[in-house]
Amino acid sequence: MLTPVAQPPATRLHDPMLPSLHRVEHARWDTDDTFSLELARVDGATIPPFEPGQFNMLYVYGVGEIPISISGDPARRDMLVHTTRAVGTVTRAMSTLKVGDTLGVRGPFGTTWPVDAARGRDVVIVAGGIGLAPLRPAMYRILAHREHYNRVVLLYGARTPGDVLYRKELEQWRAHFDLDVFVTVDRATGSWRGSVGLVTSLIGRAPFDPLNTAAMVCGPEVMMRFTTAELEKRGVKGDLIYVSMERNMKCAIGLCGHCQYGPFFICKDGPVFPYRRVQHLLSKWEI
Amino acid sequence: MTKRTRQDSETPNIIESRDFQALFDSLAKQGYRLVGPMVREGVVIVDDIAQVSELPIGYVDEQEKGTYRLTHSSGSAFFGYGLGPHSWKKYLFPPRMRLWQAQRHNGSFAIAADDSTAQEVQPLALIGVRACELAALAIQDRVFMGDYPDPHYKAQRERLFIVAVNCIHPESTCFCTSMNTGPRATGGFDLALTEVLEADRHYLLTQVGSDAGAKVLEAVPHRPATREEKAAADTLISHAAEHIERSMNTRGLKELLPASSESPHWDAIAARCLACGNCTLVCPTCFCATVEDTTDLSGENAERWRLWDSCFTTEFSYVIGGSVRASVKSRYRQWLTHKLSTWVDQFGTLGCVGCGRCITWCPVEIDITEEVRAIQAQHATISDGAGRKKKDAHA
Amino acid sequence: MHTLEPILAKHPFFEGLDKRYLELLTGCASNVVFKPDTLVFREGEDAKQFFILREGAVAIEIFAPGQGNVTIQTVEEGDIVGWSWLFPPHRWMFSGRVLQPVRAIALDGECLRKKCEEDHSLGYEFFKRFSHLLVERLQATRLQLLDLYSIH
């Protein structure tokens, strides 16, 4: 069984509660309500290494701090990329930041997608909505070492065509001969001529060998429940399915208790879990 | 933490009650800030203390589900009271603590760690720590000094002197014997006292638990205890153990509680529970916290504070879209399951020490031992029923 | 002459179906092609067939005043389209618009309906398969109703 790798102690921070200052280098809206920030350290240092799937705690001066997954390329050490939706107090404030503004960053924290351990297999990445953001670093890492994998499939479901994240990049990826990218929307609008339907409906026909596939799934919990069921139905082994969970987090180091999920602290035992470890909790109510 | 525990067989000493103040003075002289029990607003709390006379001398209390009554008796015992609502955790894990401050300048801002968090922590002497509270401290050590040690906790923990007191008057809400945490303090202290109050004598049988303890004791008049004195103290403690009324069978709880997540009994508890969070506030092991980011009116200065939080609030589990644990039932279930099951997964120990505070301070008399028993009984009935069915099928 | 039987036999939808039923089915099957932007079927028309898509993509649409044609779902290679032929009044409730050139096998519903009535074992096999399809669609619709990504 593949096991997600916890953050190596080498990158452990001196005081994990103390944010370091970052400057906004680029800010853009990906969709009507989702934006990406590219951040560089104010002191000019390289960003601490991170692994696909990990997250940072982002602090907006005087407003508050929230966990946001890292969505940039792990090979880049000059820039940190975060994509999030402007839905709460902190993210709304964050969405108004301009190039040159500063914010605080703590991290990286949490477990990682098993991208290295998945070598030699087919990889199926299933993302729903903003769930594509924490999976993008995994895509970058896999594409950088494409020769180590068999088939690579990305299945992505968004709400409407206007909600499709990283559209240009998806189109570029779709043009790769060694990559299968399928995008579907729950609701078609305008001139959309692509798929309409749930992301789960893509699993049945996607080209991969279920018996030798590692699957990485991120999206709303209900979407992940149905996706994992569909993957298993297709024949993917539960041991090779990984999911990323979300809960409220305040400290990100397993001390504040907020992100408890059964026996786990999502901040340090997750956010990426082997599906088998959380399967029994996924269908439980209000856990 | 690095305290060397001395042999239990080491002969205890006797401090006469009239010399007890010398212990306070000795601690103060060695630079410790002393905190201990005292009566305030009708309850025994812990706060800064300098004099033996400030102790709740002669006070006794009655505790029951949802009841705490403190009365002054004619007695002269220093430690005749039971546990009050304050646990010692407030000194290691303060209810409010500033984590850092930030100042805005030139359109940016700078963050500085709070000075008080690490270096300048004053050595602290806790006076009157009961066995269950030592156990609670050991549990919190695992929480706060694990993968990411909390700087304040660690600094204070390393500068801690503990004067334990063996329990000889357990409350009806106590169940330390079920949790193997009391009434006798068996380790983790610098000095442990057993108060013996006889018709004509009043002394403290004193056991040394560390070199620091021995050093403090040097400045206090004392002499080795006689066999009779030691026996008298032992009798009092065993007597206390025999008088613990409540119990909890912890066997199999770790598996039973998560397996009972859909039990209808949670509804029965939720019908009473006010989700007030009292139990989490008085609990000596509850460690949940939130952070608060503030700015002053000018917006030039910002701070981050860490505050005690409770899993009984709806905000606790808030994610975009709403609270994960919207119902009271799910919140009580989270608390109890965490204490007695998932805590073991997380920290290798139960999160309950049997101090009974959550029973006393619950305004609607919810009793953790009763609730556990009810869930166990329900499970027993179900398994029994299943067993019978099986048998019938075979017949 | 090539018959469509081997193609039908290979489709998961007909997996495990008795050979004599497959033969029967083949008798009701024909190859069809559709060009982009043409309609495979139209809302309100009599539903006489269902389709097994061998190639291409079809949008299942409904016309809503003010919104034009709204796509509810798209179906692609390997999918089965159409169950209106099974139930009275045998009328299409949606339209099927070709997105990418379609090659399909059309099965004559009227013919099949008659055969199902005559042979209830065949009827059972058909309803088993179509009810599975219906359940999948219903589940998908329920999840779409949840509008999962809007709260995430």
Side-chain angles (χ1 to χ4, degrees):
Chain A
M1 185 170 128
L2 312 179
T3 318
V5 191
Q7 184 196 347
T11 62
R12 192 150 289 169
L13 310 159
H14 175 61
D15 182 351
M17 288 306 284
L18 209 59
S20 67
L21 287 192
H22 285 62
R23 186 176 44 242
V24 178
E25 298 291 330
H26 295 284
R28 65 162 180 279
W29 286 94
D30 297 292
T31 70
D32 283 349
D33 60 3
T34 304
F35 62 96
S36 291
L37 297 178
E38 291 188 16
L39 310 168
R41 282 181 64 117
V42 166
D43 61 12
T46 55
I47 59 162
F50 73 91
E51 290 293 314
Q54 291 195 299
F55 67 94
N56 280 319
M57 298 295 288
L58 267 61
Y59 167 71
V60 179
Y61 178 83
V63 181
E65 189 185 56
I66 50 155
I68 303 180
S69 62
I70 307 172
S71 51
D73 186 347
R76 281 187 71 177
R77 298 290 304 280
D78 58 329
M79 207 73 85
L80 201 52
V81 185
H82 286 280
T83 303
T84 192
R85 281 176 76 174
V87 280
T89 320
V90 181
T91 46
R92 280 205 190 93
M94 204 175 282
S95 72
T96 66
L97 294 179
K98 306 267 181 302
V99 171
D101 286 346
T102 42
L103 44 68
V105 178
R106 295 194 287 128
F109 300 113
T111 56
T112 67
W113 297 113
V115 271
D116 295 335
R119 289 180 176 200
R121 298 180 192 275
D122 288 3
V123 177
V124 176
I125 290 178
V126 191
I130 189 90
L132 183 58
L135 279 164
R136 193 170 65 162
M139 280 298 288
Y140 287 135
R141 174 66 64 79
I142 289 166
L143 291 179
H145 304 277
R146 182 64 189 86
E147 68 280 13
H148 294 303
Y149 302 89
N150 300 336
R151 276 168 291 195
V152 177
V153 180
L154 171 63
L155 310 176
Y156 176 45
R159 188 168 179 246
T160 70
D163 294 309
V164 173
L165 268 185
Y166 312 138
R167 198 160 178 164
K168 275 204 184 114
E169 219 158 5
L170 287 171
E171 281 165 3
Q172 283 167 12
W173 286 342
R174 184 135 74 174
H176 284 219
F177 291 125
D178 55 1
L179 206 55
D180 287 295
V181 178
F182 299 93
V183 178
T184 184
V185 296
D186 275 4
R187 212 163 286 192
T189 49
S191 57
W192 177 256
R193 288 182 73 87
S195 283
V196 180
L198 287 179
V199 68
T200 48
S201 69
L202 302 176
I203 292 166
R205 64 169 134 262
F208 60 88
D209 171 14
L211 297 178
N212 188 33
T213 288
M216 307 174 198
V217 184
C218 186
E221 271 184 46
V222 177
M223 170 265 180
M224 292 198 288
R225 294 212 293 267
F226 279 83
T227 300
T228 48
E230 204 60 38
L231 285 166
E232 286 198 298
K233 205 166 108 188
R234 175 85 193 261
V236 180
K237 284 178 244 154
D239 291 347
L240 296 174
I241 302 176
Y242 287 77
V243 295
S244 182
M245 303 301 300
E246 188 191 12
R247 281 289 184 277
N248 191 353
M249 286 178 198
K250 297 290 181 192
C251 74
I253 53 176
L255 291 182
C256 77
H258 281 258
C259 68
Q260 282 183 83
Y261 183 56
F264 306 118
F265 292 107
I266 285 181
C267 67
K268 60 174 196 178
D269 302 318
V272 177
F273 288 95
Y275 169 59
R276 284 276 184 254
R277 286 186 85 193
V278 292
Q279 187 179 8
H280 66 292
L281 296 168
L282 271 170
S283 56
K284 272 192 185 169
W285 177 71
E286 291 192 305
I287 282 289
Chain B
M1 269 311 278
T2 51
K3 237 161 243 172
R4 255 176 295 154
T5 16
R6 295 201 159 193
Q7 289 297 316
D8 202 35
S9 56
E10 203 168 301
T11 311
N13 294 281
I14 298 295
I15 303 174
E16 296 294 337
S17 63
R18 61 173 180 275
D19 296 324
F20 194 28
Q21 181 62 41
L23 178 65
F24 284 47
D25 298 341
S26 173
L27 284 165
K29 206 173 157 197
Q30 293 203 17
Y32 287 102
R33 170 188 166 203
L34 274 64
V35 293
M38 62 193 61
V39 175
R40 203 165 291 162
E41 291 171 13
V43 292
V44 173
I45 56 126
V46 288
D47 205 344
D48 285 64
I49 195 166
Q51 302 295 323
V52 167
S53 59
E54 294 172 76
L55 291 170
I57 298 169
Y59 277 93
V60 291
D61 52 13
E62 262 176 77
Q63 296 191 33
E64 240 314 321
K65 287 192 283 190
T67 303
Y68 177 96
R69 190 173 292 115
L70 191 66
T71 47
H72 193 253
S73 71
S74 55
S76 52
F78 301 131
F79 302 105
Y81 61 90
L83 297 172
H86 284 199
S87 71
W88 306 94
K89 81 174 176 188
K90 65 176 182 175
Y91 292 109
L92 294 136
F93 169 46
R96 281 180 64 82
M97 192 174 91
R98 193 168 56 201
L99 294 176
W100 46 256
Q101 291 169 279
Q103 278 83 39
R104 183 147 52 189
H105 67 93
N106 297 339
S108 179
F109 63 98
I111 296 175
D114 209 272
D115 294 339
S116 69
T117 52
Q119 282 76 36
E120 293 167 30
V121 171
Q122 197 189 349
L124 192 66
L126 313 180
I127 296 168
V129 182
R130 307 297 172 114
C132 60
E133 299 185 302
L134 287 171
L137 203 55
I139 290 173
Q140 289 222 315
D141 285 349
R142 293 192 185 210
V143 175
F144 287 109
M145 303 207 290
D147 298 345
Y148 290 97
D150 176 66
H152 175 84
Y153 185 97
K154 190 166 179 286
Q156 187 66 81
R157 187 69 177 99
E158 284 163 357
R159 294 164 181 78
L160 206 58
F161 188 98
I162 295 173
V163 181
V165 168
N166 288 316
C167 268
I168 53 178
H169 301 293
E171 299 295 340
S172 82
T173 45
C174 294
F175 56 103
C176 61
T177 42
S178 297
M179 313 308 284
N180 291 319
T181 58
R184 181 195 284 275
T186 53
F189 53 80
D190 296 286
L191 293 173
L193 314 175
T194 311
E195 184 176 23
V196 183
L197 194 57
E198 290 165 353
D200 50 350
R201 280 194 66 200
H202 185 189
Y203 61 88
L204 299 138
L205 183 110
T206 308
Q207 195 188 336
V208 176
S210 70
D211 294 342
K215 200 168 167 222
V216 165
L217 191 63
E218 278 171 17
V220 185
H222 66 281
R223 59 164 175 81
T226 64
R227 194 174 298 164
E228 290 72 25
E229 285 163 336
K230 191 174 181 304
D234 285 346
T235 307
L236 287 171
I237 301 167
S238 1
H239 192 254
E242 285 158 20
H243 282 76
I244 302 278
E245 294 168 23
R246 276 181 164 73
S247 66
M248 183 191 284
N249 180 3
T250 57
R251 231 181 114 177
L253 265 188
K254 182 188 176 305
E255 293 74 28
L256 176 64
L257 289 172
S260 307
S261 63
E262 310 293 324
S263 161
H265 190 67
W266 302 115
D267 289 306
I269 304 171
R272 299 159 61 204
C273 178
L274 307 175
C276 68
N278 264 15
C279 48
T280 59
L281 293 176
V282 296
C283 178
T285 65
C286 272
F287 60 85
C288 287
T290 187
V291 292
E292 204 173 78
D293 287 289
T294 59
T295 49
D296 62 10
L297 281 177
S298 70
E300 294 303 308
N301 301 291
E303 295 183 338
R304 172 166 302 162
W305 288 77
R306 186 185 71 186
L307 294 87
W308 282 4
D309 201 359
S310 170
C311 55
F312 279 92
T313 69
T314 44
E315 296 77 25
F316 188 84
S317 61
Y318 184 82
V319 289
I320 294 304
S323 284
V324 174
R325 295 182 207 106
S327 71
V328 172
K329 151 180 160 173
S330 70
R331 282 175 261 154
Y332 188 89
R333 181 181 68 183
Q334 165 63 24
W335 181 71
L336 194 74
T337 308
H338 186 211
K339 280 275 162 239
L340 299 170
S341 171
T342 51
W343 205 296
V344 181
D345 297 298
Q346 296 165 354
F347 304 107
T349 170
L350 290 171
C352 174
V353 296
C355 74
R357 283 188 179 96
C358 58
I359 303 171
T360 300
W361 296 97
C362 176
V364 294
E365 305 182 357
I366 294 173
D367 176 344
I368 188 171
T369 64
E370 283 176 14
E371 303 314 335
V372 165
R373 200 166 290 125
I375 289 165
Q376 284 167 329
Q378 203 166 48
H379 176 73
T381 319
I382 294 165
S383 352
D384 201 32
R388 256 206 312 280
K389 239 184 228 163
K390 224 179 192 174
K391 239 185 260 165
D392 290 349
H394 279 293
Chain C
M1 193 189 120
H2 291 296
T3 83
L4 292 170
E5 193 183 320
I7 299 167
L8 293 177
K10 262 198 283 177
H11 198 284
F13 192 70
F14 298 113
E15 199 185 304
L17 198 66
D18 203 285
K19 189 159 167 51
R20 74 195 152 97
Y21 288 148
L22 270 175
E23 281 166 14
L24 224 144
L25 211 61
T26 310
C28 303
S30 58
N31 269 316
V32 289
V33 291
F34 295 94
K35 284 183 191 146
D37 275 324
T38 58
L39 293 181
V40 180
F41 47 87
R42 181 193 288 272
E43 182 183 347
E45 284 182 349
D46 286 347
K48 295 177 181 163
Q49 293 170 308
F50 73 95
F51 302 92
I52 300 167
L53 296 192
R54 298 180 62 191
E55 213 180 278
V58 175
I60 311 295
E61 298 179 340
I62 189 159
F63 180 80
Q67 293 180 56
N69 288 318
V70 179
T71 303
I72 304 300
Q73 187 199 9
T74 51
V75 283
E76 288 166 41
E77 181 187 329
D79 285 335
I80 307 283
V81 195
W83 54 65
S84 300
W85 62 277
L86 262 174
F87 311 101
H90 313 300
R91 261 202 297 276
W92 292 108
M93 299 303 289
F94 298 92
S95 301
R97 181 181 303 275
V98 177
L99 295 173
Q100 287 155 36
V102 164
R103 246 175 6 107
I105 297 173
L107 287 117
D108 182 342
E110 281 178 324
C111 153
L112 277 173
R113 226 158 49 215
K114 223 173 91 201
K115 284 174 177 161
C116 287
E117 284 297 343
E118 285 162 13
D119 180 349
H120 283 188
S121 293
L122 174 65
Y124 175 68
E125 290 295 340
F126 254 85
F127 272 84
K128 217 162 58 172
R129 286 165 169 77
F130 270 94
S131 54
H132 184 249
L133 199 66
L134 287 168
V135 165
E136 278 191 342
R137 296 281 157 82
L138 178 61
Q139 276 179 356
T141 308
R142 281 172 170 168
L143 291 180
Q144 278 169 296
L145 277 176
L146 277 177
D147 201 5
L148 290 171
Y149 307 131
S150 73
I151 53 163
H152 185 64

